Amino acid sequence: MYKTFHKDPTSSIAEAFQRGYEVVYDLDNKMEILHWNNFSRQTITIDPHNIIVPDEMRDLHGYKLNLYLMGYMRKTMTFDKYFLEQIAEKVNATAVPTDVASHGITIIPLLGGFRIDGTETLPGLGTTFWALAVPRAKPKSVVSILIDPFDMYTWITYFILVLTMAIQLVFFGEFLGRRHFVEIVLELIMISIAGPSRTYGGSFENRIITMFCLMGIVLISSYQSLVISFMSFVRYHPEINTLAEIEERCLFVDNNDARLFNFKTFPNGTFPGFDQVCTFEIGRDNVQRTLMLFSNYEHDRRLFFNEDAMRYKVKNFRYANTKFFEQQLLYYVSPRALQLFKFHFQAIFESGIYDHYYNNKSLTVSYYAQDTFVDRVVKVGDLTLLWYAYAGGTLLSVACFVIEQFIHNKFEGLSAEK
């Protein structure tokens, strides 16, 4: 029977017997216990009078522990290879990192939320997530300093005050009450900027304009000081971080990832530009290590070298604070080595070696520093808003003049008929 099962060692029955123990009886009722060691490829005999089950995982006799890991991942996350080498040295095995998928793979890190249902997965070291690369915030225009000192609610409150005072002066003003409503509004705005330009009449009109001037002293003084400060400091538009900002401001390639979250996409066949597109990337642990992963991608060298791609990436993109599918990293381990890795993973968790390894490892990453102080001149394009304001004010003045003339001539015509 023993020889029969070993004639074909690849058969399913023989494989099942190789995982267990074979008890052989001869004609004299003597008993032998035989066991096939898959790692040493030898059959051993166990004493039936002193049965001690051998621990085969203590010595793997040079058995290959294959770690499936892509090249860019192996160059960045070096602890996976280091961890495998330490185990291999302890149990007399051979650590073999590879990026070729084959039947003999022993352990695979499951990245980006991918997992295999079953008992072959073990909680691993570190975390994995989907990182979102978003365009960096662009510097604001120079003319934005005219609006930025006050927030939207302050400006709304100010214009409501001006309109309220203008309405009161139309009905109760002795001098300004004889003027057009638009003229009164412009007069109040000019009072805020440069003070009164004429003598006003009437007790109510003088008092209300005096109070408006006192308020203007505080308001305009704070406004001017903020404008001066903003002129020497580079200000940026808000960064994209929260999920609401991603949904509102990000554009994605029309693929399954974008449709999964119902994010905005641009039509196929069009491209709005690299500085407007957000992309998903596989992340590990934190932003620094995720950026290191990108630095080791194999880019198309006909377009640009890795150094150029890294420099462009750091200058124009950053990772949003919002992460997707963040979870503890899982490893797929072949059933044969499951108990071996389960024990050592637990030892790594308790010792804290993983964090100590990376915290004391020098990682060269290009950092991007935003400009702090203004180092550029004001150009004609920066003053576009001022030109728009000048043109709009001119058109408004002409329209008001035409309306006033039309109303004046209309009333004169009615008086002549009477």
Side-chain angles (χ1 to χ4, degrees), residues 39 54-60 65 90-92 336-341:
F39 299 109
D55 185 1
E56 297 178 356
M57 304 307 295
R58 288 183 178 274
D59 188 354
L60 301 188
L65 298 176
K90 184 176 181 62
V91 298
N92 189 25
R336 179 176 294 184
L338 190 64
Q339 293 300 322
L340 173 66
F341 281 94

Side-chain angles (χ1 to χ4, degrees), residues 145 225-235 371-375:
I145 60 176
S225 61
L226 289 173
V227 167
I228 294 172
S229 300
F230 287 170
M231 289 181 66
S232 61
F233 187 76
V234 180
R235 291 160 301 107
D371 294 333
T372 303
F373 297 100
V374 175
D375 56 354

Side-chain angles (χ1 to χ4, degrees), residues 168-180 183-184 187 191 197-206 209:
Q168 291 177 347
L169 290 173
V170 166
F171 291 102
F172 306 108
E174 182 176 338
F175 178 78
L176 292 176
R178 297 192 296 268
R179 303 294 178 182
H180 194 273
E183 288 185 280
I184 299 175
E187 179 67 22
I191 290 174
S197 60
R198 65 186 71 187
T199 302
Y200 305 104
S203 175
F204 173 78
E205 186 173 303
N206 286 331
I209 290 179

Side-chain angles (χ1 to χ4, degrees), residues 243-311:
L243 181 59
E245 292 170 345
I246 294 171
E247 293 176 341
E248 179 183 356
R249 299 169 54 189
C250 271
L251 284 177
F252 292 83
V253 178
D254 190 9
N255 53 23
N256 293 332
D257 295 338
R259 288 192 290 269
L260 176 63
F261 298 98
N262 197 26
F263 287 151
K264 292 189 297 186
T265 60
F266 56 87
N268 293 327
T270 62
F271 188 68
F274 285 106
D275 58 341
Q276 299 183 32
V277 178
C278 301
T279 56
F280 285 109
E281 297 180 13
I282 300 300
R284 285 286 298 268
D285 296 344
N286 53 42
V287 171
Q288 184 186 32
R289 291 169 197 167
T290 302
L291 194 60
M292 287 298 297
L293 290 178
F294 178 85
S295 68
N296 289 299
Y297 285 161
E298 290 297 331
H299 300 283
D300 189 350
R301 291 189 174 274
R302 292 175 298 176
L303 301 177
F304 39 68
F305 290 97
N306 283 19
E307 296 79 6
D308 298 330
M310 186 66 179
R311 190 178 299 109

Side-chain angles (χ1 to χ4, degrees), residues 15 18 21 31 54 77 168 248 270 285 289 291 317 352 386-387 392 398:
E15 184 178 355
Q18 287 175 3
Y21 300 88
M31 183 177 62
M77 308 303 294
Q168 291 177 347
E248 179 183 356
T270 62
D285 296 344
R289 291 169 197 167
L291 194 60
F317 292 89
L386 298 181
W387 290 111
V398 173

